[in-house]
Amino acid sequence: MSKSKSVTSKILNLNGFLSIANFMDDASDWLSSVGEREDVFKKMRDDARIESLLLDRKSKVLQMYGSFTETKNKRVNEACENLLTFNVFYELNNILLNAVPYGIAACEVLWKFAGGFYVPCGFTPIPRSALSFPRIEGKDFFTPVLAAQNIPLDDERKFLVHRNCDGELSQWGRPALRSAYKFWKFKNLGVKFWAMAAQLCGVPSILALFDTKTEEEAKTRAKNLTEALSEWESGSSGSFGNVRDIKVVSSQINDFEKIVSVCNTEIAYAITAQSLASNEAQYGTRAQGVTHEKTFDGIVKGDAYAIQRTDQKLVDAFVELNFPGEVAPQYDIDSTDFADWETIRDAIDRGVPVSLKALYNKVHLPEPVDEKDSFVKSQPSFGFDDKGKDDFFLNRQ
């Protein structure tokens, strides 16, 4: 075998390997190990802390703009630019990014024929619970099946599947909620305990002290006093004979706030890999805050790089339907840091060339419709023009 052929040939049979591995680390096995069903993911998202972290992580990706690397075919480039807009990818990615909490997300692509093109007009989300991975001869191990209708989701023109994957061989992806589960469970149990404890400790108990000569008399007297005291309500008053003193026995619940704080911090680490950028930093330094912010940005960029690979499948399907045989442009989500307005302004003032297209797209400056719609303020020169007229006051606006 030649050297070039040995390098490019495929050696591993992934389907056979996965049959032996038997999915020991799949999300479905993990759910069974903790005695939960798939509805635990929805229960966890009812936690305000978890939902806010997921929405923050998701929204940061959805706000990023994408662009196409042009091909040699101008018609293909223009069609992709004009018809596969930001809003199209926003709607699609809003569904597919549910793979972050659930591990896997899938949707059906709806197409319409308009203006001579097949254009995506909507996306129907497919619940995680509707998917399965039965053994089907000749089908890829990672192709999910719509269980109710036994439809393999293998046509990428109609179905898109996205996984939150860390490189492991998992059909179900890696749910971010998996790492947060035990701390959510602990906090949830703590809240239930606090509610019960508050019910018991919130109303102080009343203790009556009295003297008796015999044990039998003491028992009878205690029973009568207990019944009388149990009927007291707020604002009530009463008098008792042969009672030395009445004491209020109060109790308190300590450390509940600390338990919740610790759980929330660990949940933040599980979902965003840091805490200071998403928790209130009471003791963290500025340097720690910056480091944690960069860590969170790294997680978000990872989400963006992963989702753009799935977005590319939509671009490929669009070109295949409208321009059979043509090469599809590459779709890129721009997750790089962009200069703030002060830096851009200083660059312009110093004569550094700056892209107008980037300003309109990234800084969201309102782009003029035409020359009449364009407003450009004249700049004073603090001197005289060629005609000898003072242009400082003439050019004011």
Side-chain angles (χ1 to χ4, degrees):
M1 184 182 291
S2 66
K3 185 181 295 185
S4 59
K5 188 174 181 180
S6 64
V7 171
T8 58
S9 61
K10 186 174 181 180
I11 299 174
L12 294 178
N13 181 349
L14 192 59
N15 286 349
F17 174 74
L18 290 176
S19 298
I20 298 172
N22 201 27
F23 311 110
M24 292 304 293
D25 198 35
D26 250 340
S28 55
D29 295 319
W30 167 74
L31 287 172
S32 299
S33 70
V34 295
E36 298 281 4
R37 297 182 301 175
E38 290 192 1
D39 62 349
V40 71
F41 293 133
K42 292 182 179 179
K43 293 177 182 178
M44 291 180 71
R45 293 193 66 170
D46 287 336
D47 184 291
R49 183 63 182 152
I50 290 177
E51 183 67 3
S52 66
L53 291 169
L54 290 174
L55 289 177
D56 191 19
R57 182 169 166 178
K58 186 176 180 179
S59 64
K60 287 181 182 298
V61 178
L62 290 175
Q63 292 171 18
M64 296 177 181
Y65 275 77
S67 59
F68 295 98
T69 301
E70 295 184 350
T71 66
K72 296 179 181 179
N73 191 320
K74 186 178 179 181
R75 291 183 64 244
V76 172
N77 299 335
E78 291 178 349
C80 290
E81 191 74 36
N82 295 331
L83 299 176
L84 299 180
T85 61
F86 173 84
N87 289 338
V88 170
F89 287 109
Y90 185 96
E91 182 181 355
L92 171 62
N93 293 341
N94 193 41
I95 296 172
L96 296 182
L97 283 169
N98 284 322
V100 171
Y102 299 137
I104 189 172
C107 70
E108 179 184 4
V109 184
L110 307 177
W111 298 87
K112 68 177 180 180
F113 190 75
F117 293 98
Y118 290 98
V119 183
C121 61
F123 306 93
T124 303
I126 301 174
R128 185 184 190 275
S129 56
L131 303 176
S132 64
F133 290 91
R135 304 286 180 90
I136 301 178
E137 188 68 28
K139 291 294 182 181
D140 188 281
F141 238 56
F142 287 90
T143 300
V145 172
L146 193 60
Q149 300 173 257
N150 197 28
I151 300 176
L153 308 185
D154 55 357
D155 186 351
E156 293 184 350
R157 296 173 302 177
K158 283 296 295 176
F159 302 105
L160 292 175
V161 180
H162 183 66
R163 290 177 176 85
N164 185 50
C165 183
D166 56 2
E168 293 184 357
L169 302 176
S170 173
Q171 292 172 313
W172 292 99
R174 175 83 181 183
L177 293 181
R178 178 172 173 172
S179 301
Y181 170 78
K182 62 181 179 181
F183 296 103
W184 166 79
K185 191 73 173 180
F186 184 70
K187 186 174 77 168
N188 201 36
L189 293 173
V191 170
K192 290 182 180 179
F193 168 78
W194 177 82
M196 291 188 294
Q199 185 177 7
L200 295 174
C201 303
V203 178
S205 301
I206 302 174
L207 182 65
L209 304 179
F210 58 91
D211 298 316
T212 59
K213 295 180 180 179
T214 66
E215 185 176 348
E216 289 298 323
E217 183 182 352
K219 290 180 179 179
T220 302
R221 184 64 178 155
K223 180 179 179 182
N224 293 335
L225 286 172
T226 299
E227 291 176 353
L229 290 173
S230 65
E231 295 176 357
W232 276 16
E233 297 179 356
S234 177
S236 300
S237 60
S239 60
F240 301 92
N242 194 24
V243 174
R244 284 191 293 106
D245 192 11
I246 292 181
K247 294 184 178 296
V248 176
V249 182
S250 61
S251 57
Q252 58 183 357
I253 310 171
N254 296 321
D255 298 329
F256 175 71
E257 184 178 352
K258 183 180 294 185
I259 291 173
V260 172
S261 177
V262 169
C263 288
N264 282 341
T265 298
E266 295 302 318
I267 287 172
Y269 274 112
I271 297 177
T272 64
Q274 52 75 48
S275 64
L276 289 181
S278 51
N279 284 5
E280 182 180 351
Q282 185 176 1
Y283 302 110
T285 64
R286 177 179 176 83
Q288 287 176 320
V290 171
T291 301
H292 282 225
E293 189 68 38
K294 288 182 178 180
T295 301
F296 191 16
D297 286 345
I299 295 293
V300 171
K301 289 178 181 179
D303 292 340
Y305 293 145
I307 202 71
Q308 77 179 19
R309 293 199 301 268
T310 307
D311 290 343
Q312 183 65 45
K313 295 178 181 179
L314 179 69
V315 179
D316 294 343
F318 174 82
V319 174
E320 180 185 347
L321 289 171
N322 295 293
F323 305 95
E326 293 293 335
V327 177
Q330 291 297 307
Y331 181 71
D332 258 334
I333 294 179
D334 188 0
S335 59
T336 57
D337 295 330
F338 198 71
D340 55 40
W341 174 246
E342 287 72 20
T343 303
I344 297 171
R345 184 188 59 200
D346 290 345
I348 294 173
D349 288 345
R350 286 163 175 74
V352 177
V354 175
S355 168
L356 279 177
K357 182 178 180 181
L359 288 177
Y360 292 133
N361 290 339
K362 299 286 285 188
V363 186
H364 305 304
L365 293 177
E367 186 174 1
V369 177
D370 51 34
E371 189 175 348
K372 291 182 179 180
D373 186 48
S374 176
F375 175 80
V376 180
K377 184 177 181 179
S378 301
Q379 298 296 326
S381 64
F382 298 95
F384 296 91
D385 61 13
D386 294 338
K387 297 181 180 179
K389 296 180 180 179
D390 189 343
D391 60 358
F392 175 75
F393 295 101
L394 292 177
N395 287 334
R396 283 190 309 142
Q397 293 192 18

